[in-house]
Amino acid sequence: MFRPLSGCLIIALTLLLGILSTPVSAQLFETRAKQAYLVDADTGTVLFAKNENDPVPPASLAKLMTMEVVFNAIESGRLTLDDTFQVSENAWRTGGAASRTSTMFAELKSSIRLEDLIRGVIVQSANDGCIIIAEGMAGSEDNFARLMTERARAIGLTDSVFGNSSGLPHPDSKVTMKDLVTLARHIQSTYPQFYKYYSEPDFTWNKITQRNRNPLLGLDIGVDGLKTGFTEESGYGIVSSIKRDGRRLFLAMSGMASQRERAEEARKILEWGIRAFDRKQLFSEGETIAEVGVYGGETTAVLNAKGPVDILLPITNPDRLTAQITYHWPLRAPLEAGAEIAVLKVYIGDTLSQETPLYAVNAVRKGALHSQALDALLELAQFWR
């Protein structure tokens, strides 16, 4: 006995590109990274995906989530850049000069402006800065870590958990490359006034100048953020963004063997993403994408997106696209116009490259009794199939 929980329509999307192309492999790029995820910011097209849902220790990449919590508090008026936080002995010993980890060399029992702490965390990857902020905002790192995970869920990070503010080894901490790209996109689009800190080349605190740890900032290729990280377990990782030629890409990678390999692999995939794809429109604004049956309804539901649906395709060897429209089965009348009822999933080869919500253009009222009876028989047949 089988009863499907969702409907699925298959649409073949053949783009007329002027030539007959040979299908490409599922993955158009090779990387030594164990996990990677590359996304176009404007269209949401997934350009590359490799083990993007594998959980790994975040290391200093956790500091992106720490900063999101801080930026959100400033945006909502709970904090200001001029607020000051005191350096506790715990922060000094765990993340300061005594810890022999990444630090801004904050002096014990001193008070530091929040903006300076933000720059210390972002530019210098300061563990002491993270702990100072966590204790000042939530009383303890444990409380702050819970805030981090709550905020992560609120902004769409589905699989990541944070055990502390710094990314120092913790048994509960885990992130995925897909979640990290979601987080980076959120920071850049939601807090543009703070995103600028990620491109600062250096920062001086306590008379000690440290350069930004992002190796891509000085290459003049358009990279303007975000963060690097390293743990013995997961290797070298990076979350980065490049803006060039009118496009912005976001990248998360992990599992590389050295700092040099991290810089080389990140640079190569970002430049490939900028150069190797061309933007194509699949559906114009208001265009009908599909029609689906509605149980007990007097007519079908016409589906479209809220705007045009564009995607990025490989320039040199474009693959045949396949699209699936998925929805909870069966759709039941009455159905209101404007209701979100389905998702358009577009694949390039085997890679799910884009997901777009679809909405009912028309309202669907209940049909006549004989029509509802026929739909009931069809549903029963489907139930026992």
PDB file of all heavy atoms in Angstrom, residues 163-178:
ATOM      1  N   GLY A 163      28.495  25.614  19.982  1.00  0.00           N
ATOM      2  CA  GLY A 163      28.767  25.345  21.384  1.00  0.00           C
ATOM      3  C   GLY A 163      29.463  26.472  22.091  1.00  0.00           C
ATOM      4  O   GLY A 163      29.472  26.535  23.325  1.00  0.00           O
ATOM      5  N   ASN A 164      30.051  27.398  21.330  1.00  0.00           N
ATOM      6  CA  ASN A 164      30.681  28.581  21.917  1.00  0.00           C
ATOM      7  C   ASN A 164      30.782  29.673  20.869  1.00  0.00           C
ATOM      8  O   ASN A 164      30.428  29.472  19.699  1.00  0.00           O
ATOM      9  CB  ASN A 164      32.052  28.254  22.520  1.00  0.00           C
ATOM     10  CG  ASN A 164      33.013  27.657  21.503  1.00  0.00           C
ATOM     11  OD1 ASN A 164      33.019  28.037  20.335  1.00  0.00           O
ATOM     12  ND2 ASN A 164      33.845  26.723  21.954  1.00  0.00           N
ATOM     13  N   SER A 165      31.261  30.837  21.285  1.00  0.00           N
ATOM     14  CA  SER A 165      31.287  32.003  20.399  1.00  0.00           C
ATOM     15  C   SER A 165      32.515  32.069  19.522  1.00  0.00           C
ATOM     16  O   SER A 165      32.513  32.750  18.493  1.00  0.00           O
ATOM     17  CB  SER A 165      31.222  33.285  21.251  1.00  0.00           C
ATOM     18  OG  SER A 165      32.367  33.374  22.093  1.00  0.00           O
ATOM     19  N   SER A 166      33.578  31.382  19.886  1.00  0.00           N
ATOM     20  CA  SER A 166      34.872  31.542  19.213  1.00  0.00           C
ATOM     21  C   SER A 166      35.153  30.496  18.153  1.00  0.00           C
ATOM     22  O   SER A 166      35.952  30.730  17.235  1.00  0.00           O
ATOM     23  CB  SER A 166      35.997  31.490  20.252  1.00  0.00           C
ATOM     24  OG  SER A 166      36.013  30.219  20.889  1.00  0.00           O
ATOM     25  N   GLY A 167      34.541  29.321  18.280  1.00  0.00           N
ATOM     26  CA  GLY A 167      34.883  28.213  17.399  1.00  0.00           C
ATOM     27  C   GLY A 167      36.001  27.346  17.927  1.00  0.00           C
ATOM     28  O   GLY A 167      36.411  26.387  17.253  1.00  0.00           O
ATOM     29  N   LEU A 168      36.516  27.667  19.119  1.00  0.00           N
ATOM     30  CA  LEU A 168      37.469  26.763  19.749  1.00  0.00           C
ATOM     31  C   LEU A 168      36.810  25.388  19.922  1.00  0.00           C
ATOM     32  O   LEU A 168      35.591  25.293  20.015  1.00  0.00           O
ATOM     33  CB  LEU A 168      37.917  27.318  21.103  1.00  0.00           C
ATOM     34  CG  LEU A 168      38.831  28.558  21.046  1.00  0.00           C
ATOM     35  CD1 LEU A 168      38.994  29.168  22.438  1.00  0.00           C
ATOM     36  CD2 LEU A 168      40.198  28.216  20.449  1.00  0.00           C
ATOM     37  N   PRO A 169      37.597  24.295  19.921  1.00  0.00           N
ATOM     38  CA  PRO A 169      37.010  22.950  19.931  1.00  0.00           C
ATOM     39  C   PRO A 169      35.939  22.765  20.999  1.00  0.00           C
ATOM     40  O   PRO A 169      36.134  23.109  22.169  1.00  0.00           O
ATOM     41  CB  PRO A 169      38.225  22.054  20.206  1.00  0.00           C
ATOM     42  CG  PRO A 169      39.375  22.812  19.623  1.00  0.00           C
ATOM     43  CD  PRO A 169      39.073  24.264  19.877  1.00  0.00           C
ATOM     44  N   HIS A 170      34.791  22.248  20.577  1.00  0.00           N
ATOM     45  CA  HIS A 170      33.659  22.007  21.471  1.00  0.00           C
ATOM     46  C   HIS A 170      32.872  20.833  20.897  1.00  0.00           C
ATOM     47  O   HIS A 170      32.587  20.796  19.691  1.00  0.00           O
ATOM     48  CB  HIS A 170      32.766  23.243  21.563  1.00  0.00           C
ATOM     49  CG  HIS A 170      31.741  23.165  22.653  1.00  0.00           C
ATOM     50  ND1 HIS A 170      30.619  22.372  22.561  1.00  0.00           N
ATOM     51  CD2 HIS A 170      31.667  23.783  23.870  1.00  0.00           C
ATOM     52  CE1 HIS A 170      29.892  22.511  23.647  1.00  0.00           C
ATOM     53  NE2 HIS A 170      30.504  23.345  24.460  1.00  0.00           N
ATOM     54  N   PRO A 171      32.488  19.860  21.724  1.00  0.00           N
ATOM     55  CA  PRO A 171      31.825  18.656  21.202  1.00  0.00           C
ATOM     56  C   PRO A 171      30.476  18.916  20.540  1.00  0.00           C
ATOM     57  O   PRO A 171      30.038  18.111  19.710  1.00  0.00           O
ATOM     58  CB  PRO A 171      31.658  17.772  22.449  1.00  0.00           C
ATOM     59  CG  PRO A 171      31.742  18.713  23.613  1.00  0.00           C
ATOM     60  CD  PRO A 171      32.691  19.786  23.194  1.00  0.00           C
ATOM     61  N   ASP A 172      29.811  20.003  20.887  1.00  0.00           N
ATOM     62  CA  ASP A 172      28.487  20.266  20.320  1.00  0.00           C
ATOM     63  C   ASP A 172      28.528  21.048  19.009  1.00  0.00           C
ATOM     64  O   ASP A 172      27.519  21.129  18.303  1.00  0.00           O
ATOM     65  CB  ASP A 172      27.627  21.044  21.325  1.00  0.00           C
ATOM     66  CG  ASP A 172      27.309  20.245  22.568  1.00  0.00           C
ATOM     67  OD1 ASP A 172      27.392  19.005  22.500  1.00  0.00           O
ATOM     68  OD2 ASP A 172      26.995  20.850  23.609  1.00  0.00           O
ATOM     69  N   SER A 173      29.646  21.637  18.677  1.00  0.00           N
ATOM     70  CA  SER A 173      29.711  22.550  17.538  1.00  0.00           C
ATOM     71  C   SER A 173      29.806  21.797  16.206  1.00  0.00           C
ATOM     72  O   SER A 173      30.620  20.887  16.058  1.00  0.00           O
ATOM     73  CB  SER A 173      30.914  23.482  17.673  1.00  0.00           C
ATOM     74  OG  SER A 173      30.793  24.319  18.801  1.00  0.00           O
ATOM     75  N   LYS A 174      28.962  22.197  15.267  1.00  0.00           N
ATOM     76  CA  LYS A 174      29.030  21.644  13.912  1.00  0.00           C
ATOM     77  C   LYS A 174      28.371  22.621  12.948  1.00  0.00           C
ATOM     78  O   LYS A 174      27.428  23.341  13.300  1.00  0.00           O
ATOM     79  CB  LYS A 174      28.315  20.285  13.842  1.00  0.00           C
ATOM     80  CG  LYS A 174      26.822  20.351  14.135  1.00  0.00           C
ATOM     81  CD  LYS A 174      26.147  19.004  13.945  1.00  0.00           C
ATOM     82  CE  LYS A 174      24.634  19.094  14.174  1.00  0.00           C
ATOM     83  NZ  LYS A 174      23.953  17.819  13.925  1.00  0.00           N
ATOM     84  N   VAL A 175      28.895  22.657  11.732  1.00  0.00           N
ATOM     85  CA  VAL A 175      28.331  23.492  10.680  1.00  0.00           C
ATOM     86  C   VAL A 175      28.376  22.716   9.368  1.00  0.00           C
ATOM     87  O   VAL A 175      29.085  21.715   9.243  1.00  0.00           O
ATOM     88  CB  VAL A 175      29.096  24.825  10.505  1.00  0.00           C
ATOM     89  CG1 VAL A 175      28.963  25.701  11.733  1.00  0.00           C
ATOM     90  CG2 VAL A 175      30.574  24.567  10.183  1.00  0.00           C
ATOM     91  N   THR A 176      27.612  23.183   8.381  1.00  0.00           N
ATOM     92  CA  THR A 176      27.698  22.650   7.028  1.00  0.00           C
ATOM     93  C   THR A 176      28.049  23.786   6.084  1.00  0.00           C
ATOM     94  O   THR A 176      27.804  24.961   6.371  1.00  0.00           O
ATOM     95  CB  THR A 176      26.378  22.012   6.575  1.00  0.00           C
ATOM     96  OG1 THR A 176      25.369  23.052   6.447  1.00  0.00           O
ATOM     97  CG2 THR A 176      25.888  20.976   7.581  1.00  0.00           C
ATOM     98  N   MET A 177      28.608  23.434   4.940  1.00  0.00           N
ATOM     99  CA  MET A 177      28.967  24.462   3.962  1.00  0.00           C
ATOM    100  C   MET A 177      27.720  25.157   3.422  1.00  0.00           C
ATOM    101  O   MET A 177      27.730  26.366   3.169  1.00  0.00           O
ATOM    102  CB  MET A 177      29.772  23.852   2.806  1.00  0.00           C
ATOM    103  CG  MET A 177      31.097  23.227   3.212  1.00  0.00           C
ATOM    104  SD  MET A 177      32.202  24.343   4.118  1.00  0.00           S
ATOM    105  CE  MET A 177      31.990  23.746   5.815  1.00  0.00           C
ATOM    106  N   LYS A 178      26.640  24.420   3.271  1.00  0.00           N
ATOM    107  CA  LYS A 178      25.396  25.037   2.802  1.00  0.00           C
ATOM    108  C   LYS A 178      24.900  26.068   3.797  1.00  0.00           C
ATOM    109  O   LYS A 178      24.498  27.185   3.419  1.00  0.00           O
ATOM    110  CB  LYS A 178      24.334  23.965   2.568  1.00  0.00           C
ATOM    111  CG  LYS A 178      23.057  24.493   1.919  1.00  0.00           C
ATOM    112  CD  LYS A 178      22.117  23.354   1.569  1.00  0.00           C
ATOM    113  CE  LYS A 178      20.874  23.879   0.856  1.00  0.00           C
ATOM    114  NZ  LYS A 178      19.949  22.764   0.492  1.00  0.00           N
TER     115      LYS A 178
END
